[in-house]
Amino acid sequence: MEVYEEAMNYLQTQISGITVKAEREMEPNLIEDVFEVDPEEAFVTSPLHTESIDLPDTPTNWAPEVMLERRMVVLKSILSSEHLYLSELETLLTPMKALKAAAGTSQPVLTSQQVQTVFFQVPELRDLHHEFYTGLSTRLEPQQGQTPGLELGGSQPPPVGDLFLRMVSQLGAYRGFIDNYESAVEIVRRCTQSDQRFRTLAESMMSSIKGADNCRTKYTFEALLYKPLDRVTKTTLVLHDLLKHTPEDHPDHAQLQEALRISSSFLSGVNEESQRKRAVTLSTGMRRQLIRDGFVVDVCESGRSLRHLFLYTDLLLCTKMKGASVGKQTHYRFVWYLPLAGLKLCWGSEQERSVELQYRISTMRTKMFQLRQEHKQQGKGGKGVAARTLDRSRRKMQQIEHWLSTNTPVLPLELHSSSGKSHTLMLSSLYELEEWREAIDKLRGDSLETIPPDLLTLTNSCVKLRMTQHPHLQSLLPDCGEQGLCGTLSVAVHSACGLQEPASLYVCLEVDGYEFFDNKAQTRPCLSSLTPQWDEEFSLQVDGARCLRVLSVLQTESGQRWSVQGRSSIQLDPSLIMKKWKKTTVCMNQVEVHLSLKYTPHPLDPPSSASVQQHPVFNVPIGDLAQQEGVLVPHIVRSCTEEVERRGLEEVGIYRISGAANDIQTLKIAFNTNSRDAVSRLRAMDVNAVSGALKLYFRELPEPLIPAECFQSLAAALDIPDMSSRLETMLTILQSCPDVNRNTFLFLLHHLKRVAEKQEVNKMSLMNLATVFGPSLVRPPQVVLGQCGPRVDISQEVVVQVQVVYFYLQCNNLPTPLTSMPLDSEEEGTDL
């Protein structure tokens, strides 16, 4: 058997199982044997991996004439293989023109964006190998038709090293194809399954390709897409084999050595890329690896700009992407860089938006929502709608989404270098911010050595090294039917366990898809607890949602700083959570968070400017507030009582001594405008201001917590001489109160009893607490002109108010309150 064919066979047996798996999936008619492949191994090991390839040795004692003869055999095998590869590329490109033409009609098979993704870099690869094949064929043409070895006549085969060197110097064209490969295959698989027209087109291109053995083989669309991946490995292999059969004194030897070095270096870089690492070789011989890249908002004096940020092993590089439009090649311009040595990171709470900016964001979201609905209708309607109209509406959506991506992020990440330079980045996702912070933290340090970069070379290399092709815009993604969730995603956050010590923990939720509405939510902090209990429910309006991100966040004692304890994500499968609650447990480091999910599909209402304003908390009926929050005990009541229990139980005169009026008003405004900010402010306020804000809330309720119509019944019950009958009557009256009122009252009573347990220190007995809260919680009906007044003498009104609260506080068997609304038809499960 010829050496080259032996090498090919050897390669097929040595290369990892992923190659066999990929070919078996994509060319079932060519593979008969079944191999078991470990999915984890398949993910790590790439068909481009060369570390496990052990090429067969070539005898070193061959005569020069025999070596040259074998060299010619290898060259002819390469030529034959190139001819076959070009046929495969031409077959792959056959439907491209037809699909591009159809994209401009009213019923496109693929959108213009999808066509560009499927055939990305394929024409460039075809041109590259056509030039190489033509050159090699011309060099070998004089020897065609002659018997190998006899035609040499003592002369050497023609020099071809320059052709190989020129070809491998352009291998960078493969990097774009490799980066895009998974996206292309995903589109082909999805459209083959869902679109009969695409399936018919794909079947029509399955023409037979004549191989070197004159046998014809049929290839699927997906199998042809795989061919360039296989070709990258073979390029290094044949160079290795050709060099072994080229004498050291041959004029090709030095050029083939350089070509092999370039090819091996490229393949090594691709292997690192498969592990999400890229590298640049520095002039010193060290390697600067790319660890992460992505789009962030860079904030400076001139305003906000969307930038492409690259994190290398020793520095951060911020660039501006240019020429991303159709017909222009993408390139990058340098903006700034910071060495990681001595770099300090600062992050904090969300920055507040101005009223003007918030209004504009709301307006832009409404416009994008309208364009999205129009685009959906145009996609359905068909014949009368031109593809040009669809593309125009998509471009408008992309422009608006680009503006929103630049102007909506509010999470700051400040970077301060040891040289005094500082930059501020804004991110829209806490999950993404934590990914950047964690990646940078793993690399930075005072002992880290930074090699001064060649900024021009480093910036120019970004095109080849990047892992993120464009900003994450939902409108840039290919249409994928109804796969994403559209409607209401309800998330109930129950509790957490696994903390090693008491901590103030809260949970953040983030959902992907179009950002017509706020796609984030967070619980209140559960203060200093080993087993935090929230029982809060959130309703998120979503369109195109596929993933829910969950983060557990630790808050410091001051409330001004936080750190992410853990993060995880849940893939949203509508079939599991459709119209019924499904319980799941999310594990984040050592902490487990218990959630319930429910998805209700429905057409979305347009976002309105009113939705961006938080509903007020004070002077609102407690039932309305609880309904808005999806709870039975309002957040303000739980937050204030928890803060009092955290640091006010031993405060002398707690609830009797009022805090500063300005502080109480500050908290009132905060709760009315930004509940998240209010919870943080509680931690910094004097505890008497916190207790004063809670008393003010109950005092300003439009209707008292105990409904006014119960006042007279309660007053009469206090006069019942038999204690057992009095208790039964009082509890019956309490049971008749609305759910929110009853549970909030019970929640407050249990809290006040815990305060009274410390009365030897804080001097607040049950009677003292009843005296403070009685007039706010229990009020008689308002006297209306022409109606009978209350049967209780006005002088006895305060006595009744205090005695009612005092009686309930003395009860030893008060019912346990519920804090969240019960979930309907909830199912157990952790399989989301």
Side-chain angles (χ1 to χ4, degrees), residues 654-656 759 762-774 802 806 809:
I654 187 69
Y655 285 119
R656 178 176 57 81
Q759 62 177 311
N762 59 37
K763 310 303 181 184
M764 293 300 293
S765 63
L766 291 178
M767 176 56 75
N768 289 341
L769 292 169
T771 303
V772 171
F773 278 94
V802 173
Y806 182 59
L809 284 173

Side-chain angles (χ1 to χ4, degrees), residues 580-643:
K580 59 183 179 182
W581 288 101
K582 190 75 173 181
K583 276 189 176 180
T584 186
T585 299
V586 181
C587 298
M588 295 175 282
N589 295 331
Q590 297 178 342
V591 174
E592 294 183 351
V593 176
H594 305 293
L595 310 170
S596 292
L597 306 178
K598 182 177 71 172
Y599 166 53
T600 306
H602 60 80
L604 295 172
D605 294 326
S608 63
S609 57
S611 64
V612 302
Q613 299 294 331
Q614 177 181 299
H615 296 288
V617 171
F618 284 76
N619 296 296
V620 174
I622 193 170
D624 295 349
L625 178 62
Q627 184 66 34
Q628 292 163 7
E629 296 178 348
V631 295
L632 289 173
V633 178
H635 294 164
I636 182 175
V637 177
R638 291 193 283 181
S639 298
C640 290
T641 54
E642 285 181 359
E643 185 63 18

